[in-house]
Amino acid sequence: SAVMGHSMGGGSSFLAAANNTTLTTMVTLAAAETNPSSTTAAASVTIPSLTIAGAADCVAPPATNALQMYNALASACKTYVSVNQGSHCYFADYNFNCTFGESTCNPVPALDRASQEDVTADLFTLWFEHWLKGSCQAWEDLQDSLAVSGRIASQQSCSEPTPVITMNGNYLEANPPGYYYQWYYEGNPIPGANGQQNLPDQAGNYTVGVFYNTNCPVMSAPYP
């Protein structure tokens, strides 16, 4: 399950996700500060989080709203995306009140609504495909977009160490520890070998895929 919101709804998503371990992930669009403070609540949000803001948002400027919330997040995996020339209201369909409020500040939106909705949907669809459906391909595609897209600027904190296999007594052991493991012998998965340690029963190459902060395994080098 996920929580998602725009503007005050984005700020309220931080309130909803604080200390809530039943949620899988959170996505916010142009999050605006709330009372009680969504920035304060962010320090208690540990689920994977995607924070998207418009670089030209004059209603809830990212520097004092979304970016502050992102920086305060306690998530082991979090991503911040700034849509180049993106505005506040163009994350959603036309709304008179939002558009009227935006007309009272500067700059005037330079990116059209359809383009802003398009880039935003591209990103959060891949995010949801990964976190809600376990698609590693979606995660790879998202990383590619973050790296090469000219439509956005981004920053990410999702450290993924490379596991190393060592001998611990008679057992092979993967370090640093993760939350799930799959051991392989000669490139083939070993049924039921899903712990940090594995007892080798024959000579050959053993590898392990360890899950850390995403739904995709990080592979070790072979242990002969």
Side-chain angles (χ1 to χ4, degrees):
S1 60
V3 62
M4 185 177 186
H6 169 248
S7 191
M8 295 295 286
S12 296
S13 295
F14 286 86
L15 303 179
N19 299 310
N20 189 337
T21 58
T22 65
L23 295 168
T24 305
T25 187
M26 176 178 72
V27 174
T28 59
L29 308 173
E33 183 61 276
T34 57
N35 185 14
S37 171
S38 50
T39 301
T40 300
S44 298
V45 176
T46 58
I47 57 175
S49 301
L50 173 62
T51 306
I52 305 177
D57 186 341
C58 65
V59 176
T64 54
N65 289 271
L67 189 55
Q68 283 196 156
M69 297 173 210
Y70 169 80
N71 288 332
L73 281 167
S75 306
C77 187
K78 61 181 183 178
T79 302
Y80 178 83
V81 173
S82 175
V83 179
N84 295 337
Q85 299 182 324
S87 63
H88 186 80
C89 297
Y90 284 7
F91 283 109
D93 291 341
Y94 174 80
N95 175 280
F96 174 80
N97 291 329
C98 190
T99 300
F100 177 78
E102 194 167 50
S103 70
T104 65
C105 63
N106 289 303
V108 175
L111 183 67
D112 64 272
R113 187 186 304 272
S115 296
Q116 184 164 330
E117 289 181 346
D118 181 61
V119 63
T120 304
D122 283 349
L123 295 169
F124 70 65
T125 298
L126 291 172
W127 184 270
F128 284 144
E129 286 285 340
H130 174 70
W131 290 108
L132 299 184
K133 297 186 177 181
S135 170
C136 287
Q137 184 60 57
W139 184 254
E140 293 177 8
D141 292 344
L142 176 63
Q143 299 310 304
D144 182 66
S145 293
L146 296 178
V148 305
S149 176
R151 303 184 295 177
I152 61 172
S154 67
Q155 54 183 288
Q156 187 177 74
S157 176
C158 294
S159 58
E160 297 277 288
T162 299
V164 176
I165 300 174
T166 57
M167 287 298 299
N168 186 349
N170 295 324
Y171 287 83
L172 298 174
E173 183 175 276
N175 281 296
Y179 69 86
Y180 186 78
Y181 307 81
Q182 177 60 63
W183 288 87
Y184 298 82
Y185 173 72
E186 299 293 350
N188 298 310
I190 303 172
N194 307 120
Q196 186 178 2
Q197 294 184 331
N198 178 61
L199 181 63
D201 58 4
Q202 54 188 321
N205 289 324
Y206 288 84
T207 53
V208 63
V210 182
F211 292 75
Y212 291 108
N213 295 324
T214 71
N215 289 330
C216 300
V218 181
M219 297 301 299
S220 70
Y223 186 92

